[in-house]
């Protein structure tokens, strides 16, 4: 069965399931990463703009929480001012897997690969996928614009099959995957695994403020908005007063500095303080499919059990 240990992504990562948890800034900490890793997926700690000493403490904490033999990873956002610091921490702590996003990972691959680290960049185009494959990436995460946080221009439905055809390394599908139906769709599009972010916001082990979780639970099909398009760094969030103000400033062609200032500290305000009006509630369009808070282990087990049932049903229909 492609959804189990015999698939290439599981063999590469040493996981039970071909699932990577999204590297969500302020959300993906040691508690969440360890819960996902212990449940058979690949838990990820988000480096974001975390000071290196604090990031190192988080990695050490995760190592204590994760069961022996279970892998975990670190997400490095390349446009972050602390990206180089995160690289040094990853090398020092011998983090087994690093995912990268928002930039070209060439120099990071040059440092991490000789150290034996598995490197999986997030890409938003075929050109990026081909480039990082040549640079030595072990796999790629094809992230469609349905995802939360920083996004590209192409949808998961069209991006995943194109990248799957363009590269020989395993492709992980991201953006809009929240249950077993998404897993099956991802494999049908040529992927060999999935990355799931938004669904894990409403995970029992996720430490974000309950207001944030409730906002995800209350989300509907058109509850997200894209901000920052005029800056060249579009971000998908749940609609609130903050996104309305972003839209207002961008429609008025406000200076970039004013628009950027509006977003400063807003993700922390949502995650830590529970500000659902003026905080940045980063979440993907799959938020509309999240309807309860469950342990990571049950979320993952249910997801792949549902996927197998769908595949079994398709097989029966074919007969």
């Amino acid at each position: 069965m492609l959804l189990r240990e015999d698939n290439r992504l599981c063999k590469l990562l040493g996981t039970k399931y071909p699932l990577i948890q999204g590297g969500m800034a302020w959300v993906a900490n040691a508690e969440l990463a360890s819960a996902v890793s212990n449940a058979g997926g690949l838990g990820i700690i988000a480096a974001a703009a975390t000071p290196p000493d604090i990031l190192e403490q988080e990695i050490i904490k995760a190592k204590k929480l994760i069961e022996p033999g279970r892998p975990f990873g670190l997400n490095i956002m390349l446009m972050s001012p602390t990206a180089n610091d995160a690289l040094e921490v990853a090398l020092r702590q011998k983090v087994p897997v690093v995912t990268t996003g928002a930039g070209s990972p060439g120099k990071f691959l040059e440092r991490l690969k000789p150290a034996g680290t598995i490197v999986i960049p997030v890409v938003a185009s075929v050109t990026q996928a081909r480039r990082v494959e040549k640079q030595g990436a072990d796999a790629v995460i094809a992230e469609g614009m349905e995802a939360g946080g920083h996004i590209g221009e192409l949808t998961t439905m069209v991006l995943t099959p194109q990248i799957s055809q363009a590269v020989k390394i395993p492709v992980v599908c991201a953006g809009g995957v929240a249950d077993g139906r998404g897993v099956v769709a991802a494999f049908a599009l040529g992927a060999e695994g999935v990355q799931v972010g938004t669904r894990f916001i409403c995970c029992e082990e996720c430490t974000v403020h309950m207001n944030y979780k409730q906002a995800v639970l209350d989300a509907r099909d058109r509850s997200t908005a894209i901000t920052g398009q005029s800056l060249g760094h579009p971000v998908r969030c749940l609609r609130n007063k903050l996104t309305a103000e972003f839209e207002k400033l961008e429609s008025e062609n406000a200076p970039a500095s004013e628009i950027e200032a509006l977003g400063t500290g807003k993700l922390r305000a949502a995650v830590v303080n529970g500000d659902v009006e003026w905080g940045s509630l980063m979440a993907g369009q799959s938020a509309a499919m999240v309807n309860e808070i469950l342990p990571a282990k049950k979320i993952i087990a249910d997801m792949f059990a549902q996927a197998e049932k769908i595949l079994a049903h398709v097989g029966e229909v074919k007969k």
Side-chain angles (χ1 to χ4, degrees):
M1 173 68 72
L2 286 175
L3 303 182
R4 291 293 181 86
E5 293 93 331
D6 58 349
N7 106 334
R8 285 203 300 168
L9 188 68
C10 288
K11 289 180 179 179
L12 174 67
L13 301 176
T15 58
K16 178 179 180 180
Y17 299 104
L19 178 144
I20 298 175
Q21 168 230 312
M24 301 167 283
W26 283 98
V27 176
N29 57 13
E31 285 80 4
L32 179 57
S34 62
V36 172
S37 286
N38 288 337
L42 181 74
I44 297 287
I45 294 171
T50 307
D53 57 331
I54 297 176
L55 178 62
E56 193 151 17
Q57 292 171 18
E58 202 68 17
I59 291 171
I60 292 171
K61 183 196 298 184
K63 287 181 175 180
K64 293 178 180 177
L65 294 172
I66 296 172
E67 299 167 1
R70 302 279 193 182
F72 74 100
L74 177 69
N75 174 261
I76 301 178
M77 187 173 69
L78 302 175
M79 65 185 292
S80 168
T82 61
N84 289 324
D85 294 327
L87 169 63
E88 298 303 327
V89 171
L91 290 167
R92 189 160 55 246
Q93 287 296 322
K94 296 180 172 55
V95 175
V97 183
V98 167
T99 63
T100 67
S104 176
K107 67 176 183 179
F108 286 75
L109 281 158
E110 291 174 3
R111 295 286 308 283
L112 291 166
K113 291 293 293 178
T117 305
I118 295 168
V119 183
I120 308 178
V122 175
V123 297
S125 71
V126 170
T127 299
Q128 289 178 330
R130 284 175 171 155
R131 182 188 305 123
V132 298
E133 181 181 41
K134 289 180 180 179
Q135 292 172 333
D138 295 283
V140 292
I141 299 169
E143 185 176 73
M145 66 179 297
E146 295 93 326
H150 295 275
I151 59 173
E153 298 178 358
L154 300 177
T155 65
T156 301
M157 179 68 83
V158 299
L159 179 66
T160 304
Q162 291 186 70
I163 289 182
S164 297
Q165 284 186 324
V167 300
K168 295 180 179 179
I169 54 179
V171 174
V172 181
C173 174
V177 181
D179 60 16
R181 294 171 297 181
V183 173
V184 173
F187 276 77
L189 294 173
E192 295 179 62
V194 294
Q195 177 174 278
V196 178
T198 300
R199 180 63 188 93
F200 287 120
I201 294 174
C202 289
C203 164
E204 283 187 3
E205 296 89 348
C206 182
T207 60
V208 305
H209 198 285
M210 187 58 206
N211 291 354
Y212 197 149
K213 293 186 180 185
Q214 192 60 53
V216 173
L217 292 172
D218 293 340
R220 298 293 179 265
D221 56 344
R222 299 183 65 188
S223 291
T224 67
I226 300 174
T227 63
Q229 298 228 50
S230 64
L231 303 177
H233 301 294
V235 175
R236 186 180 295 282
C237 306
L238 294 179
R239 294 182 186 276
N240 60 5
K241 291 181 179 179
L242 178 67
T243 62
E245 185 64 18
F246 264 115
E247 291 171 347
K248 177 176 177 293
L249 291 179
E250 292 191 71
S251 68
E252 295 172 349
N253 296 315
S257 58
E258 184 179 353
I259 299 173
E260 290 172 350
L262 177 63
T264 302
K266 296 302 193 296
L267 181 56
R268 184 183 188 281
V271 173
V272 178
N273 302 328
D275 186 347
V276 295
E277 293 190 342
W278 289 100
S280 181
L281 299 167
M282 291 189 184
Q285 290 179 314
S286 65
M289 300 160 63
V290 180
N291 53 29
E292 59 184 331
I293 298 173
L294 297 170
K297 186 174 183 178
K298 183 165 178 55
I299 290 172
I300 295 172
D302 287 354
M303 186 178 295
F304 284 90
Q306 183 187 31
E308 289 188 11
K309 285 183 180 179
I310 294 170
L311 288 176
H313 175 69
V314 170
E316 288 298 318
V317 170
K318 284 184 177 180
K319 291 179 183 178

